[in-house]
Amino acid sequence: MTKTVLLGIPLNYCLLLTCLFLSLWQGCNPFAQTGRSKLQNKRASLNQQIIKQMRMRAGAENLLKATSNNKVKEMVLLELSYVNSNLQLLMGQLEGLNSSVEVYQNAHETANIPLIALGLKETKDMDFSTPFKDFILEHYSEDGSNFEDEISDLMDLRQACRTPSRNEAGVELLAKYFSHLPLIESRFFSPTRQTGIFFTWYDSFTGVPVCQQNLSLEKASILFNMGALYSQIGTRCDRQTIVGLEEAISAFQKAAGTLNHLKETFTHTPSYDMSPAMLSMLIRMMLAQAQECLFEKTALPGIRNQFYSLLKMAQEAAKVSEIYDQVHQSMIQTPIKDNVPLLWSTMAQIKTNHYRSMAHFFVASALLDHQLGPSDDEDQQEKTLSQVYDRIPDGRSPLDILKKKDERDRIGKTHIRKAILGHEEALRIYSLCHNNQMDVLEEILKASHQRSLHKYSENENEDEFTDYMEAPDIISKTEHKAEMEVPATTKVKVTDFFQRLGPLAVFSAKQRWTAPRTIRLRPEDRDLGFTLKGETPVQVVSLDPLCPAAADGLKEGDYIVAVGDTDCKWMGVSEVMRLLKDVNEEGIDIQVVSMMESNPPMPTKSATFCGNLPKTYSMICLAHDDDDNNPKARKVTKKPSFLSWGLKNKLKSVSTLSLPTADHSGALPWNKPCPTFPSSSSYNNDSALY
């Protein structure tokens, strides 16, 4: 058996390394038949159908305004009603795609409440070849065909960003393209002329296309997709392990940080899914899901069946409920409620009730199953209980509740009744949801409800009169609060694709120069003496007007871009000196360009095309260069050294309770073959599990 070897490396390893490299550069296979790729393909197809219907509607509306024929008006109105109904159907299908929560979950997830992931924004293919080649020829006076490879690399990178893999490599791919965009903007997007390039992105909630000629929309959309990808990574994590939960927490916090960075940086993005109100809601939702994962991380090893542990978990659950309530309140505000999928607001409402009920269940367990004993620290229990309640009904004190068994049982029963009502409300809301295909969620809600009913039946006394006292509210508190985390990948160092054009500080779209001029330098020029200044490229200063080079057209302030056949845009003074030191009697040709002074123009308005739908966030965006307005972004250049012509250059450079789940395998610690809902006596047994 023979093995093919290439440069000492077996061929199979070479092929493996090549595939790994291409996967990082090209993103996912857009034709892969995964659930997520099918979803994105459907989204792209729906976007195309929506824009087609919108064009038909715009044409019909224009015809309706232009015609005075009543028969034609009747036909146009009929067509408009047909188009509008089609649009409503297509947007309903798009909402269905955004409601496909189960597609993004971990394939083995059977015991946790599903989480929500954002879908990626879709865009059109872009062809930079002709506009960039024309700009290179007109602005930089170079042959654009010499930069075909660089333009192809840029287009390949953008195409790969449309289908990033759902892992850190996919995020890094998006971050790499995002880091290239400021360089591309400086090279090719002049404040005085338009390139003719239109960037089109589709709203992820409505499918409405938005088109701009500047790069603001492109940058903002890539940032949005980075946040969306982090949310998909978070939902994919295995939440049955501590490591998986930590990865999910980090992913959701990074998603919130990325979206917050988008909100603060791009404040006038015309796409509604990136409006400040929508982004604020999405940030809250990501942080709520991170807080939920933090709660699951605390509960995963098992909840100690002790007074203090139960009250602590009650406050943790109340915190999750409080955050989801804030998310739900932001979702039902106008105009967000008109664009957010109904399933999202339903999920937020379900989780608000579910975790609030869990908090009341934990307090009820602490009061009903743990009476104050002689060995218990009375002061510590009183302090702990007083921190749980904002107020205690009927003027009772925490110590009265702890010492008097009747009062303790009465308050405990009010909590368990409130827990039952909350679970029933969560189940009712779930039953009203149109997309009730999430069996895992239903099983968890039912298990939690049954557990509360079982607890109530254990402590029910038929001889007691009906007690209508309301359970006091539980103060939310957490030891580990979810915080926004700006990922380091938003600032990836990249190499400029078009660095052959020269240093960006000089050769950018904002600067204007004369066409390159050829100057003949002769041996006698070195005796007259002129000075070279700067790092890259070198600049001519202190030029003697009587020297032959000056008579040949050399000017003070000219930049030397070539010496003979050698391009020297990136050469410093010492390197240019080495090229010029051996001038023979015939001399040598150099190419120079002169900076053209012009008053900086006012920022031009960039026409933005947006679908003719109501409640569009914005229609006009100004093409401002944010870096110029940020004094922190300005670089302080080192004072350049001066070297004279002909001079030698010398410079170099215990018992536990567990959360109800839908897992039937028995593999989880709380699903061992012990009673699912143990009696109150089992709390005193160290092996008892919930």
Side-chain angles (χ1 to χ4, degrees):
M1 183 177 178
T2 60
K3 289 186 178 180
T4 307
V5 177
L6 181 64
L7 297 178
I9 304 175
L11 183 60
N12 57 340
Y13 289 107
C14 294
L15 294 173
L16 178 62
L17 291 173
T18 303
C19 291
L20 287 172
F21 173 77
L22 290 176
S23 65
L24 290 174
W25 183 259
Q26 295 178 355
C28 288
N29 180 5
F31 301 105
Q33 294 301 304
T34 63
R36 193 175 67 109
S37 63
K38 289 179 181 178
L39 202 67
Q40 285 300 130
N41 290 336
K42 288 180 183 177
R43 185 187 296 273
S45 176
L46 281 176
N47 288 334
Q48 294 300 321
Q49 294 178 58
I50 287 173
I51 192 173
K52 179 181 177 181
Q53 294 296 324
M54 290 176 64
R55 285 171 178 165
M56 291 174 63
R57 185 172 71 173
E61 288 174 344
N62 291 334
L63 180 57
L64 189 64
K65 293 176 184 178
T67 186
S68 58
N69 189 314
N70 290 332
K71 222 174 232 187
V72 174
K73 282 186 176 182
E74 289 178 6
M75 293 177 61
V76 172
L77 288 172
L78 182 63
E79 181 67 21
L80 270 175
S81 64
Y82 175 73
V83 170
N84 285 329
S85 63
N86 279 347
L87 271 174
Q88 291 298 324
L89 288 173
L90 291 171
M91 290 185 178
Q93 293 179 38
L94 187 61
E95 180 181 347
L97 293 183
N98 287 324
S99 301
S100 301
V101 175
E102 65 279 358
V103 174
Y104 298 103
Q105 308 304 310
N106 187 289
H108 306 290
E109 189 65 79
T110 58
N112 292 94
I113 298 178
L115 300 173
I116 296 173
L118 300 180
L120 300 179
K121 287 174 70 70
E122 285 289 331
T123 182
K124 282 186 174 181
D125 290 334
M126 295 295 303
D127 187 358
F128 298 125
S129 299
T130 303
F132 278 13
K133 286 179 183 178
D134 292 345
F135 192 87
I136 289 172
L137 180 62
E138 295 172 15
H139 190 79
Y140 295 99
S141 301
E142 296 199 31
D143 188 355
S145 60
N146 294 332
F147 292 86
E148 286 183 352
D149 291 342
E150 288 86 347
I151 296 173
S152 296
D153 289 343
L154 175 63
M155 292 170 60
D156 290 344
L157 180 59
R158 187 182 189 275
Q159 184 65 23
C161 287
R162 298 182 64 184
T163 55
S165 55
R166 190 164 49 152
N167 49 35
E168 286 293 336
V171 176
E172 187 177 345
L173 182 70
L174 292 173
K176 185 175 183 180
Y177 180 62
F178 180 77
S179 298
H180 272 292
L181 290 177
L183 302 176
I184 299 301
E185 186 174 33
S186 298
R187 292 286 189 191
F188 296 102
F189 290 82
S190 170
T192 59
R193 56 165 286 184
Q194 298 292 347
T195 58
I197 298 174
F198 289 87
F199 297 95
T200 302
W201 288 84
Y202 297 91
D203 191 296
S204 60
F205 295 108
T206 65
V208 177
V210 180
C211 186
Q212 274 192 353
Q213 282 189 277
N214 59 40
L215 278 170
S216 297
L217 178 63
E218 185 87 348
K219 293 177 185 176
S221 299
I222 292 295
L223 269 183
F224 183 93
N225 277 0
M226 287 177 65
L229 197 57
Y230 272 122
S231 73
Q232 294 180 15
I233 292 172
T235 57
R236 190 186 189 184
C237 294
D238 182 5
R239 289 152 60 203
Q240 299 303 312
T241 64
I242 294 293
V243 174
L245 281 168
E246 288 175 347
E247 291 174 353
I249 293 163
S250 176
F252 286 122
Q253 290 183 149
K254 288 178 179 178
T258 304
L259 294 173
N260 186 65
H261 179 59
L262 167 60
K263 176 187 170 186
E264 293 180 347
T265 308
F266 300 94
T267 56
H268 296 289
T269 308
S271 185
Y272 185 76
D273 55 357
M274 295 186 287
S275 66
M278 182 64 78
L279 289 175
S280 296
M281 184 277 293
L282 294 176
I283 292 167
R284 288 194 187 99
M285 187 173 73
M286 294 299 115
L287 290 176
Q289 296 188 140
Q291 193 68 50
E292 184 179 3
C293 292
L294 283 166
F295 175 79
E296 291 176 351
K297 180 184 174 184
T298 305
L300 184 61
I303 303 165
R304 299 289 297 176
N305 187 19
Q306 297 175 349
F307 182 80
Y308 302 109
S309 298
L310 290 170
L311 292 184
K312 173 189 170 185
M313 291 306 298
Q315 290 189 293
E316 292 280 355
K319 186 65 177 179
V320 178
S321 173
E322 179 186 63
I323 297 176
Y324 269 114
D325 186 47
Q326 294 171 0
V327 173
H328 178 252
Q329 292 303 319
S330 64
M331 284 182 176
I332 61 176
Q333 300 298 317
T334 306
I336 295 177
K337 67 177 181 181
D338 298 325
N339 297 288
V340 169
L342 178 62
L343 178 69
W344 290 17
S345 58
T346 303
M347 287 279 288
Q349 201 173 1
I350 289 172
K351 291 185 179 184
T352 299
N353 286 280
H354 174 70
Y355 284 105
R356 184 186 295 134
S357 300
M358 288 183 66
H360 285 286
F361 175 83
F362 287 134
V363 174
S365 299
L367 293 175
L368 294 172
D369 301 331
H370 296 277
Q371 302 296 331
L372 186 63
S375 60
D376 293 328
D377 189 339
E378 184 179 295
D379 293 337
Q380 185 62 34
Q381 284 202 14
E382 179 186 10
K383 180 181 177 182
T384 303
L385 188 61
S386 64
Q387 292 174 348
V388 170
Y389 294 137
D390 187 18
R391 62 170 185 82
I392 299 177
D394 299 336
R396 295 174 176 82
S397 68
L399 191 58
D400 291 338
I401 297 173
L402 291 172
K403 284 188 171 182
K404 299 177 182 178
K405 185 178 186 304
D406 292 343
E407 289 296 326
R408 189 168 185 145
D409 290 347
R410 187 184 180 194
I411 299 294
K413 288 178 182 179
T414 63
H415 282 291
I416 201 64
R417 284 197 296 270
K418 195 161 186 177
I420 292 171
L421 291 174
H423 287 310
E424 289 174 349
E425 178 65 10
L427 284 167
R428 185 190 69 82
I429 296 169
Y430 174 80
S431 66
L432 296 176
C433 183
H434 298 297
N435 184 6
N436 52 2
Q437 302 298 318
M438 292 177 292
D439 297 334
V440 173
L441 176 59
E442 184 180 16
E443 291 181 20
I444 292 174
L445 295 177
K446 286 182 177 179
S448 300
H449 183 226
Q450 289 297 323
R451 184 174 69 169
S452 296
L453 288 173
H454 185 74
K455 174 65 68 178
Y456 184 75
S457 64
E458 287 178 351
N459 295 273
E460 186 181 16
N461 188 347
E462 295 181 358
D463 298 332
E464 288 181 348
F465 292 104
T466 303
D467 192 348
Y468 294 101
M469 187 175 71
E470 282 287 328
D473 292 332
I474 300 169
I475 298 175
S476 63
K477 182 181 177 182
T478 181
E479 294 182 357
H480 306 284
K481 185 180 178 181
E483 302 284 356
M484 288 184 290
E485 180 182 343
V486 179
T489 49
T490 55
K491 299 178 181 178
V492 176
K493 290 185 177 180
V494 294
T495 302
D496 185 6
F497 281 129
F498 300 92
Q499 62 178 347
R500 286 197 292 135
L501 292 172
L504 191 57
V506 177
F507 298 98
S508 67
K510 295 179 183 178
Q511 310 288 355
R512 297 177 60 217
W513 317 270
T514 60
R517 309 187 309 278
T518 302
I519 307 295
R520 189 73 172 178
L521 291 184
R522 298 174 180 80
E524 56 267 24
D525 287 338
R526 76 174 66 187
D527 299 328
L528 295 175
F530 56 83
T531 305
L532 298 181
K533 180 190 86 167
E535 297 178 357
T536 57
V538 296
Q539 193 174 15
V540 175
V541 295
S542 303
L543 174 66
D544 190 327
L546 301 178
C547 70
D552 205 11
L554 186 64
K555 299 177 182 177
E556 189 162 338
D558 282 351
Y559 289 96
I560 300 179
V561 295
V563 176
D565 295 329
T566 304
D567 187 294
C568 59
K569 294 189 190 76
W570 285 96
M571 291 186 181
V573 173
S574 59
E575 295 168 297
V576 174
M577 290 287 291
R578 280 195 290 270
L579 293 174
L580 296 175
K581 68 179 181 179
D582 297 325
V583 180
N584 55 27
E585 294 181 358
E586 297 180 358
I588 189 171
D589 288 334
I590 65 171
Q591 284 192 332
V592 298
V593 294
S594 301
M595 187 78 70
M596 297 174 63
E597 293 185 4
S598 59
N599 294 326
M602 293 295 291
T604 57
K605 283 189 176 181
S606 173
T608 302
F609 168 76
C610 193
N612 187 21
L613 285 183
K615 298 175 183 175
T616 302
Y617 172 62
S618 174
M619 296 300 293
I620 296 294
C621 265
L622 296 182
H624 283 287
D625 185 355
D626 293 334
D627 292 339
D628 288 348
N629 298 328
N630 186 4
K632 294 182 180 179
R634 296 174 184 169
K635 295 183 178 179
V636 179
T637 55
K638 187 178 178 182
K639 185 176 179 181
S641 59
F642 289 80
L643 293 110
S644 297
W645 174 268
L647 296 178
K648 185 176 181 181
N649 176 21
K650 297 182 180 180
L651 294 179
K652 306 248 185 274
S653 38
V654 204
S655 89
T656 60
L657 292 91
S658 299
L659 305 183
T661 70
D663 183 63
H664 304 290
S665 64
L668 300 177
W670 51 82
N671 291 318
K672 297 297 181 185
C674 51
T676 309
F677 309 109
S679 63
S680 59
S681 61
S682 65
Y683 281 121
N684 300 321
N685 184 350
D686 286 343
S687 63
L689 293 172
Y690 261 58

